[in-house]
Amino acid sequence: MPDSAAFRYSHEFQVPVAAIDALGHANNVEYLRWVQDVAGAHWLAICPPEQRGRYVWVVREHRIRYRQPSFAGESLRATTWVGETSGATSVRHTRIVRVADEALLCEAETTWVLLDPGSGRPVRVEAEVVGWLTEKE
């Protein structure tokens, strides 16, 4: 985990039966979905409702490392925080752990690009938005 004072956002959830693949554990695609889910939840927690229509984030790149499997019914915690923000891009880090033993199951780094919702073109991340992403409320 990078050494950073950035605001960390976490949420817990249970592995649903629908996430289990032929090998008997959560499919890798589900981890990617959970990485995106916690990023979205974090954004909704920090962006004022009246401002949400001004911003659209899209993924440029995911880098994900799977450490251990998870199984149906297990409680997991996804924690995310934003690292470097430059120009129109922002790098978000995510860790997923099993709540019962704090075992690290997955680490991800995602590069997000901020778009103008009208034109669909990249726009610079404003200082106000950087503040929302990196400062604890």
Side-chain angles (χ1 to χ4, degrees):
M1 183 180 297
D3 189 24
S4 169
F7 171 53
R8 285 169 169 71
Y9 176 86
S10 296
H11 76 180
E12 292 185 11
F13 58 97
Q14 282 196 322
V15 177
V17 172
I20 305 305
D21 64 16
L23 298 174
H25 55 70
N27 188 282
N28 290 357
V29 172
E30 297 301 324
Y31 284 93
L32 183 57
R33 181 184 330 274
W34 299 331
V35 165
Q36 290 196 173
D37 287 351
V38 73
H42 180 212
W43 178 248
L44 292 177
I46 60 170
C47 183
E50 64 277 6
Q51 299 289 336
R52 292 181 187 155
R54 294 182 54 203
Y55 306 100
V56 174
W57 291 98
V58 296
V59 172
R60 174 181 286 167
E61 177 183 27
H62 285 293
R63 293 176 54 191
I64 190 163
R65 179 174 288 151
Y66 303 100
R67 300 278 188 182
Q68 292 187 40
S70 63
F71 302 94
E74 288 185 322
S75 293
L76 306 184
R77 180 183 321 104
T79 301
T80 188
W81 67 96
V82 173
E84 181 181 354
T85 298
S86 176
T89 64
S90 183
V91 177
R92 178 179 288 279
H93 304 272
T94 305
R95 290 170 51 97
I96 299 175
V97 301
R98 186 172 30 247
V99 173
D101 61 1
E102 295 294 319
L104 177 61
L105 306 180
C106 173
E107 296 175 289
E109 182 179 286
T110 305
T111 302
W112 293 84
V113 178
L114 184 62
L115 302 181
D116 175 277
S119 69
R121 298 183 59 117
V123 294
R124 180 170 294 281
V125 181
E126 302 163 351
E128 178 181 42
V129 175
V130 173
W132 297 342
L133 293 169
T134 60
E135 296 173 10
K136 190 166 184 170
E137 296 180 312

